[in-house]
Amino acid sequence: MNNFSFEEESTLNLREILMKYVFQWKWFVLFLVLSITCGYIYLRYSIPDYESKASILITDEDGGGLGGGGELSIFKDMGLLGGSSDVESEIDVLKSRSLINEVVKKLDLQQTYYIIGDNSGMKRGELMGDSPVKLSFSLSDSLYWESEMFLELEFIDSQYVLVSNDDFSKKIAFGDTCATLTGDFCITKTAQFSDTWIDRELEFSLSRLEDAVTSVKNKIGIETTNKDGNVIAISLVGPNHKKNNQIIDELIRQHQMDAIADKNKVANNTNKFINDRIQFINGELSVVENESEAYKNKYKLVDVMANASQFMLKEEGLDEAVSKVNIQFSLSEYMLEILEKSKDKDDLLPSNLGFEDVTVSLMTEQYNELMLKKNKLLMNSSERNPVVLNLQNQLTSIKSSLYKSLKNIKEGLSLELQKLENKQRIYQSKLSKVPKYEKEFRDIQRQQQIKEGLYLYLMEKREENQIRLAATIENTKVIDWAYSNREPVSPKPKIIYLASILLGLLVPFGILYVRDLLDNKVHGIKDLEPFKLQGIGEIPEYETENTIVVTKDSRNVISEVFRSIRTNLNFLLAGKENRKVIAVTSTVSGEGKTFISINLAHALSHTGKKTVLVGMDLRAPKFLNYLDIEKEKGVSNYIIDDKISIEDILIPAEDNPNLSYIISGLIPPNPAELLLNPRLGELIKELSENFDYVIIDSAPVGLVSDTLNFLEHIDLLLYVARAEKAEKQFLNLPANLIVDKKVEKLAVVINGVDTKRHTGYGYGYGYGYGYGYGAGNSSYYGSEDTASKKRRFRFGKRK
């Protein structure tokens, strides 16, 4: 069996879609008015935010921009430097809680003053630097940083202020102390106070230090102006542009002070190292000088021997070279000693000691710089931070490279020293005739010169380091201090109103779209197209008290619809002059098939055609509910009893000579099996031979199979679908009847169509229902005396 399934059409009719929403224009207008009104109220009472900006340039120690070809670029080219750039590290420092914490403390951002509007009672703005009063708390720093408070201040006159919150309300004089559970505080006037503040109100808020730091950190924005540049842009959005500017400027100042402090740490550490070495060398030099003095006194030596002056001159050159090599060798030993001691510690290394090898100096400076960055990051993060780990790897790598370089330098100096000493021994051998005392004194003098040279060298480096310490400058250059154009960045009226308009359009559109998306009901003939079903008419929603709405002289809307259906049926049944059997069914009960059967039969009979209406719904017959018929024998009696003839069950209509009725008869226990009886076929055949039209009111095919049992005897199956009640998936049933070729012809009538909704969907009927009729004919109410009751019908069904 082939099953037909519903599929949405791939193409959309834009006009129909547009008409659906145009028809609901009142909702769009309503939501537009509401959304624009909400936008106006939001703009009226919202506190505007202003943006302040500043920009700084990250420079190297020489005052130039980073990455501009400085000495550190050598290490970057060698791959010794990696990870975050210096600019990115400075951004992390600027964003650090420790730095912002200092800003909050400096500006006392825990305290916030709000001015209250005169009429609205809402906050009009935040005061910063222009508050008429200042609250001072007599609390320790630790308690003050953890305190919270909210107060309302009302200036009674120039002497008194009313202080209140949820717990208390006190009138105090300016300068007096007010005791609260949080702590004692004093309110004093500022230079901004004047008589204009009398009878006005302020709100005061004291927040915890950590909360204030978090608030500033969340509001501030720090980023580079371009990917490879060294310029950092700092921005902050808040309700007070003065406060924004002060926060940004103070952040820059704190960052500069912090950078200077870091550099001073390196210089101070180097100074301590030099002083320690000077003290040590000074002790050794004193020992050598005392030894020289004692030797001279012992052996009465005053001048260097006059002979062998030629060899002595050459030896002096070697002595100078040996002295320089020894200085470099001692420095290497000192640095290796420092590295050995700090093997498992992260200490700063002394710099600018005067190594002739530039690589050692650069690597020492780079190590100290990375160490400071690491320590700075550890103040706000853990050692597992990827940036910290990256810095630690770089420190380990540089420290290892520095250690290897120093070892290599030491070995090279050792070899060079051996060569120089070999040369010295050559000249000393030539001086073998020099008196023993002079030779020994020369050795003492040589040691004295070495110690003096190293001592003077360290003294010189100490002075250089002192000068460097005094001339330390920050590594940032301020391009622009904080500024604001005083134009609010939010809310922006144009954007708010545009958003209001869009919201006013999208909300009803979304509601209607979701409604249509979830709507699976049949509304009109247009819904038949995806199922490839043929519709022959739409019966509009109509209220009437009459069962039969189609009479010979009726000219109301619903009568015209049935006449239109009658015409369409004639086209469908063209060629069936001698046999026109029409069965009327539906998917479920309550869709109006009996009402349509009765009025369709009347419409056909008014053309002069002999018509018979047969009640074939043996399970729940509706004829007796609609027609005033007293006869009890019907179709079931005819099938069961061979003695009953058609004349016995045929009921002529009283007011219509061309119309006859046959009721369903007694309700049998086995309706489905009864309809398989051959006498049913004989009944239909005989009726089709004696009548022009045979209209069969059958059972719903979606509930029982009764109607399917006699489909072979009919010419047309008229399927009734109730608008706003029948689901679209119900239409799969008649579609499958066509696919399976169980019926010769099938047509669909949509019953109870909401004409207003129908028009909104863009379907239309092909003619105006009000054509030729006045407003008084928009509804038709007739009367029918049945069991002394008047019945009222809606959508073709009794209401």
Side-chain angles (χ1 to χ4, degrees), residues 12 82 125 146 154 172 202 204 268 354 361 402 414 445 480 492 505 557 599 605 634 661:
L12 297 175
E146 293 298 324
E154 182 180 353
I172 63 174
L202 283 182
F204 169 81
N268 290 329
S361 298
L402 181 60
S414 178
Q445 194 176 35
D480 288 315
K492 294 185 177 180
L505 294 175
V557 172
N599 286 280
S605 65
Y661 302 111

Side-chain angles (χ1 to χ4, degrees), residues 495-518:
I495 295 179
I496 295 299
Y497 283 125
L498 178 60
S500 299
I501 293 173
L502 291 177
L503 187 65
L505 294 175
L506 291 178
V507 169
F509 175 82
I511 294 174
L512 294 174
Y513 176 78
V514 172
R515 186 198 70 176
D516 293 341
L517 191 65
L518 300 177

Side-chain angles (χ1 to χ4, degrees), residues 467-482:
I467 295 173
R468 180 188 179 95
L469 183 61
T472 300
I473 61 173
E474 64 276 0
N475 64 339
T476 57
K477 177 182 178 182
V478 179
I479 299 176
D480 288 315
W481 289 99

Side-chain angles (χ1 to χ4, degrees), residues 517-533:
L517 191 65
L518 300 177
D519 183 16
N520 64 344
K521 302 296 184 181
V522 175
H523 302 292
I525 286 180
K526 189 70 176 180
D527 295 321
L528 304 178
E529 292 180 2
F531 300 90
K532 299 180 180 178
L533 294 172

Side-chain angles (χ1 to χ4, degrees), residues 26-245:
K26 294 181 180 178
W27 290 105
F28 285 92
V29 172
L30 175 62
F31 276 94
L32 273 174
V33 172
L34 290 176
S35 61
I36 292 175
T37 302
C38 292
Y40 171 77
I41 295 174
Y42 174 77
L43 291 172
R44 173 65 180 82
Y45 295 108
S46 63
I47 301 175
D49 284 331
Y50 302 88
E51 183 179 28
S52 295
K53 297 180 180 179
S55 57
I56 59 175
L57 173 67
I58 304 301
T59 61
D60 55 19
E61 291 185 356
D62 298 328
L66 291 172
E71 294 174 343
L72 295 180
S73 62
I74 300 174
F75 294 96
K76 293 181 180 179
D77 295 337
M78 296 172 62
L80 296 177
L81 298 179
S84 301
S85 67
D86 291 326
V87 176
E88 292 173 342
S89 298
E90 293 299 328
I91 291 177
D92 291 336
V93 172
L94 286 166
K95 288 182 177 179
S96 63
R97 293 187 67 88
S98 59
L99 195 62
I100 297 177
N101 187 78
E102 296 301 322
V103 174
V104 173
K105 290 181 180 178
K106 182 70 175 179
L107 299 178
D108 199 7
L109 298 179
Q110 288 182 251
Q111 295 189 15
T112 309
Y113 299 85
Y114 294 100
I115 184 173
I116 304 300
D118 296 331
N119 299 321
S120 64
M122 301 185 69
K123 295 177 182 178
R124 287 291 183 83
E126 181 181 347
L127 300 175
M128 183 67 179
D130 48 4
S131 173
V133 293
K134 172 69 177 178
L135 272 71
S136 302
F137 289 81
S138 56
L139 298 172
S140 63
D141 289 344
S142 59
L143 291 176
Y144 179 69
W145 292 337
E146 293 298 324
S147 298
E148 291 182 288
M149 182 182 289
F150 178 81
L151 298 173
E152 293 181 355
L153 310 177
E154 182 180 353
F155 303 112
I156 300 174
D157 51 35
S158 60
Q159 300 297 326
Y160 293 94
V161 58
L162 180 63
V163 182
S164 60
N165 64 6
D166 294 337
D167 300 325
F168 70 93
S169 179
K170 297 181 181 179
K171 177 182 177 181
I172 63 174
F174 289 110
D176 290 349
T177 300
C178 181
T180 65
L181 296 176
T182 303
D184 298 344
F185 63 87
C186 176
I187 303 178
T188 57
K189 298 179 184 179
T190 67
Q192 305 298 326
F193 187 87
S194 65
D195 292 340
T196 58
W197 285 99
I198 297 176
D199 294 331
R200 297 188 65 181
E201 295 182 11
L202 283 182
E203 285 185 356
F204 169 81
S205 174
L206 176 66
S207 58
R208 296 171 58 247
L209 176 63
E210 186 173 349
D211 295 337
V213 171
T214 301
S215 177
V216 175
K217 182 176 175 62
N218 292 337
K219 290 179 181 179
I220 201 163
I222 305 174
E223 59 184 2
T224 56
T225 56
N226 56 71
K227 182 178 181 182
D228 300 321
N230 303 319
V231 177
I232 295 177
I234 306 174
S235 62
L236 191 146
V237 177
N240 189 301
H241 64 275
K242 293 182 180 179
K243 181 178 181 179
N244 299 342
N245 294 344

Side-chain angles (χ1 to χ4, degrees), residues 230-447:
N230 303 319
V231 177
I232 295 177
I234 306 174
S235 62
L236 191 146
V237 177
N240 189 301
H241 64 275
K242 293 182 180 179
K243 181 178 181 179
N244 299 342
N245 294 344
Q246 291 182 29
I247 292 175
I248 294 177
D249 289 345
E250 187 61 32
L251 180 66
I252 295 174
R253 282 190 285 267
Q254 290 294 333
H255 178 263
Q256 291 175 334
M257 295 170 57
D258 194 58
I260 292 175
D262 287 342
K263 291 184 178 180
N264 287 342
K265 286 181 181 179
V266 176
N268 290 329
N269 192 63
T270 302
N271 193 51
K272 181 178 180 301
F273 170 78
I274 292 175
N275 288 332
D276 292 341
R277 299 313 303 172
I278 287 177
Q279 185 177 1
F280 179 77
I281 297 299
N282 188 42
E284 290 184 339
L285 183 59
S286 297
V287 172
V288 173
E289 288 176 346
N290 292 333
E291 185 179 351
S292 175
E293 182 180 0
Y295 194 86
K296 285 182 179 182
N297 292 332
K298 181 178 181 180
Y299 296 105
K300 309 300 182 184
L301 297 175
V302 179
D303 300 320
V304 181
M305 57 181 299
N307 55 353
S309 59
Q310 182 179 1
F311 298 115
M312 293 297 295
L313 290 175
K314 292 182 179 180
E315 189 180 14
E316 287 177 1
L318 289 173
D319 287 341
E320 183 178 356
V322 169
S323 177
K324 291 183 178 179
V325 172
N326 270 305
I327 290 174
Q328 295 294 318
F329 187 84
S330 297
L331 291 175
S332 301
E333 284 187 326
Y334 297 157
M335 285 297 293
L336 287 172
E337 180 181 352
I338 294 298
L339 291 174
E340 287 291 339
K341 289 181 179 180
S342 63
K343 186 175 182 180
D344 298 325
K345 297 186 296 181
D346 293 331
D347 293 330
L348 296 170
L349 298 178
S351 62
N352 299 320
L353 296 180
F355 281 99
E356 293 182 354
D357 194 324
V358 180
T359 303
V360 173
S361 298
L362 292 176
M363 293 177 73
T364 302
E365 292 177 0
Q366 178 61 20
Y367 180 89
N368 289 334
E369 183 179 356
L370 294 177
M371 179 61 66
L372 289 173
K373 291 181 180 179
K374 175 190 170 185
N375 293 337
K376 183 70 65 177
L377 290 175
L378 284 175
M379 295 175 67
N380 298 283
S381 61
S382 65
E383 293 183 351
R384 295 183 179 180
N385 189 307
V387 178
V388 175
L389 294 175
N390 185 28
L391 289 174
Q392 183 61 49
N393 292 334
Q394 294 183 52
L395 289 170
T396 304
S397 175
I398 294 176
K399 197 171 186 180
S400 176
S401 300
L402 181 60
Y403 186 86
K404 291 179 181 178
S405 297
L406 290 172
K407 292 286 288 185
N408 293 334
I409 291 172
K410 182 179 177 183
E411 292 176 1
L413 292 173
S414 178
L415 293 175
E416 185 177 357
L417 189 60
Q418 290 178 6
K419 291 179 182 180
L420 293 174
E421 289 177 349
N422 289 336
K423 290 182 180 181
Q424 280 184 327
R425 282 193 289 272
I426 293 174
Y427 288 106
Q428 288 173 358
S429 65
K430 294 179 180 181
L431 294 173
S432 58
K433 296 180 180 181
V434 177
K436 174 183 177 182
Y437 301 130
E438 291 291 335
K439 181 180 179 182
E440 290 177 352
F441 179 73
R442 189 65 178 171
D443 290 337
I444 294 174
Q445 194 176 35
R446 184 184 301 112
Q447 291 296 323

Side-chain angles (χ1 to χ4, degrees), residues 8-33:
E8 292 286 351
E9 292 178 292
S10 59
T11 59
L12 297 175
N13 189 322
L14 296 179
R15 181 179 179 277
E16 292 180 3
I17 296 176
L18 180 62
M19 288 302 298
K20 286 194 298 184
Y21 296 107
V22 170
F23 182 73
Q24 304 290 344
W25 65 269
K26 294 181 180 178
W27 290 105
F28 285 92
V29 172
L30 175 62
F31 276 94
L32 273 174
V33 172

